[in-house]
């Protein structure tokens, strides 16, 4: 796991995180791993793991299908020769966050990430995207397996450079009584396309997604999500906020699918979108598909500009127009940012949001 420990740290890494818990993927390749991990926690480069035992991951790495959402995952499978495998054994409560950094320059790269949390385990992963360079394209395929009674907290911060493009396919498989929470911040890159498929396969599994998209200039960010309730008594919550200004373009396509056997399921979806300039664009499409009775599901979306009454109130108190608009927009974004539990990380994301404003 200490392979490449001498690799220099990428610029722009988050403050306050332990270097010995840092994993670096440089242009999709495993460049550096954590040190001194406790028993039951394993981090290994994908290429090294396959070379050591080619059949080791045969039952874990999924084979993408032929659906439209798997097209880029198929490309990642075809062109990837490295990545990272993160595993936590049954019953291990690993409280310290693992810091996974995606760094790199120009060109194209593909990588695969596998995260496995054993039964009754606990894992925190902070994933940070720092790719920079002219006309770069990264294609990422991630699979997260959450065992019975396990909990995975997954924070993902996109902070790529203005010329970087990112396509990612993330699939989460949840067993009985498991908990998976993702906090997603799409704050960088020229083009980001995020496909998330969260599948609640075990009874009483719970899943949460809180997301924030901000697009300005000519940037574009697309978020496509599927919450699939397979078993009964499962619960999901999706809360997404988006802000577009200049000529920025954003898209949200959220689908909740409740299968025939998923009785007593509880699912909610909220998409609120803020457009700050005439040429900005946001397209939102919430969807519900319910194939059984006795469920509780809701969804809703709004698209609009800043509230004129609130803006007038601030102006009447002597606040200049730019500051007033910034305060109202920051309050809109803070609905998601405030849910970040680590104080230093929350302040860092707040500074990024303010920088965008």
């Amino acid at each position: 796991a200490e392979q490449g420990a001498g690799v220099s740290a990428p610029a722009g890494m988050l403050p306050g995180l332990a270097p010995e818990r840092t994993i670096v993927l440089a242009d999709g390749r495993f460049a550096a791993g954590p040190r001194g991990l406790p028993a039951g926690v394993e981090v290994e480069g994908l290429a090294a793991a396959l070379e050591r035992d080619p059949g080791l991951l045969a039952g874990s790495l999924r084979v993408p299908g032929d659906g439209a959402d798997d097209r880029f995952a198929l490309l990642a499978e075809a062109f990837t020769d490295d990545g990272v495998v993160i595993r936590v054994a049954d019953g291990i409560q690993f409280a310290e966050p693992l810091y996974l950094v995606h760094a790199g320059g120009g060109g194209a790269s593909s990588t695969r990430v596998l995260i496995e949390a054993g039964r009754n385990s606990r894992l925190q992963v902070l994933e940070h995207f720092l790719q920079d360079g002219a006309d770069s394209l990264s294609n990422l395929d991630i699979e997260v397996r959450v065992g019975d009674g396990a909990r995975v907290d997954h924070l993902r911060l996109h902070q790529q450079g203005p010329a970087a493009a990112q396509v990612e396919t993330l699939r989460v498989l949840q067993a009985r009584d498991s908990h998976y929470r993702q906090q997603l911040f799409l704050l960088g890159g020229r083009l980001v396309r995020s496909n998330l498929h969260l599948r609640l396969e075990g009874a009483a599994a719970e899943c949460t997604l809180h997301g924030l998209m901000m697009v300005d200039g000519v940037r574009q960010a697309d978020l496509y999500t599927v919450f699939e309730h397979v078993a009964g008594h499962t619960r999901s919550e999706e809360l997404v906020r988006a802000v577009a200004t200049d000529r920025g373009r954003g898209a949200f396509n959220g689908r909740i699918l409740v299968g025939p056997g998923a009785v007593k399921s509880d699912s909610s979806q909220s998409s609120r979108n803020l457009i700050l300039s005439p040429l900005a664009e946001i397209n939102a499409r919430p969807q519900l598909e319910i194939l059984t009775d006795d469920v509780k599901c809701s969804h809703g979306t709004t698209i609009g500009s800043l509230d004129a009454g609130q803006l007038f109130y601030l102006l009447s108190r002597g606040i200049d127009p730019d500051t007033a608009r910034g305060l109202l927009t920051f309050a809109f974004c803070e609905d998601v940012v405030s849910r970040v539990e680590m104080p230093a990380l929350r302040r860092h994301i707040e500074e990024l949001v303010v920088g965008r404003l």
Side-chain angles (χ1 to χ4, degrees):
E2 298 180 13
Q3 171 186 341
V7 175
S8 59
M13 292 178 64
L14 297 175
L17 295 170
E20 62 271 16
R21 297 292 181 258
T22 300
I23 308 161
V24 178
L25 294 177
D27 292 321
R29 293 181 171 274
F30 187 77
R35 304 182 299 275
L37 293 176
V41 181
E42 299 178 358
V43 176
E44 188 174 14
L46 177 61
L50 293 175
E51 183 177 357
R52 175 171 50 84
D53 185 355
L56 177 66
L57 302 176
S60 298
L61 285 173
R62 76 181 180 99
V63 177
D66 57 0
D69 291 340
D70 273 350
R71 291 171 182 169
F72 285 99
L74 286 166
L75 287 174
E77 183 186 34
F79 292 104
T80 295
D81 56 8
D82 205 357
V84 65
V85 178
I86 301 172
R87 283 176 163 172
V88 179
D90 295 349
I92 299 297
Q93 302 287 313
F94 189 51
E96 302 176 67
L98 287 174
Y99 181 28
L100 174 57
V101 181
H102 297 264
S109 63
S110 297
T111 189
R112 299 188 77 177
V113 175
L114 172 64
I115 300 173
E116 283 190 335
R119 296 180 57 188
N120 300 316
S121 64
R122 171 73 185 273
L123 175 64
Q124 297 183 66
V125 178
L126 170 55
E127 198 171 6
H128 194 191
F129 297 87
L130 288 173
Q131 291 98 334
D132 201 357
D135 299 323
S136 64
L137 170 64
S138 59
N139 183 15
L140 178 63
D141 184 17
I142 306 180
E143 182 163 358
V144 182
R145 293 177 174 266
V146 190
D148 292 346
R151 180 182 182 91
V152 174
D153 292 299
H154 195 179
L155 190 145
R156 313 183 70 237
L157 173 58
H158 286 263
Q159 199 183 345
Q160 300 95 326
Q166 165 92 38
V167 180
E168 60 183 23
T169 306
L170 184 145
R171 183 177 175 90
V172 180
L173 305 175
Q174 292 189 242
R176 177 183 295 270
D177 295 314
S178 63
H179 297 257
Y180 175 80
R181 180 178 65 167
Q182 181 178 148
Q183 295 173 297
L184 176 64
F185 296 94
L186 299 175
L187 305 180
R190 175 175 52 86
L191 170 64
V192 178
R193 166 69 179 256
S194 185
N195 299 306
L196 311 179
H197 188 163
L198 304 104
R199 182 177 168 91
L200 293 85
E201 298 181 330
E206 295 188 7
C207 182
T208 303
L209 172 65
H210 297 150
L212 173 63
M213 293 191 297
M214 299 187 73
V215 287
D216 53 15
V218 293
R219 296 178 52 240
Q220 179 172 340
D222 300 334
L223 176 60
Y224 283 60
T225 67
V226 177
F227 283 76
E228 185 177 0
H229 292 253
V230 178
H233 299 271
T234 50
R235 182 179 181 276
S236 67
E237 177 188 357
E238 184 175 18
L239 185 149
V240 177
R241 302 290 181 260
V243 180
T245 187
D246 300 328
R247 293 176 177 267
R249 298 178 60 189
F252 169 73
N253 191 331
R255 181 184 176 203
I256 298 173
L257 173 61
V258 182
V263 295
K264 303 288 186 181
S265 291
D266 184 350
S267 182
S268 65
Q269 181 188 88
S270 170
S271 168
R272 295 178 59 192
N273 306 278
L274 191 59
I275 297 179
L276 300 179
S277 62
L279 297 180
E281 180 181 335
I282 295 179
N283 298 289
R285 185 188 179 198
Q287 304 171 68
L288 278 178
E289 185 174 347
I290 303 173
L291 304 178
T292 188
D293 297 324
D294 196 12
V295 300
K296 179 182 178 182
C297 295
S298 65
H299 68 168
T301 184
T302 61
I303 300 178
S305 56
L306 292 173
D307 185 273
Q310 294 177 350
L311 185 60
F312 175 78
Y313 177 84
L314 294 178
L315 295 177
S316 69
R317 295 305 186 268
I319 299 176
D320 65 90
D322 288 342
T323 301
R325 284 190 288 267
L327 286 171
L328 292 176
T329 307
F330 180 80
F332 178 85
C333 299
E334 187 71 359
D335 190 22
V336 175
V337 180
S338 64
R339 301 169 190 264
V340 177
E341 295 177 352
M342 296 176 59
L345 180 56
R346 183 171 61 250
R347 285 194 297 271
H348 179 79
I349 296 175
E350 287 174 343
E351 291 172 359
L352 292 178
V353 171
V354 170
R356 287 290 181 192
L357 300 179

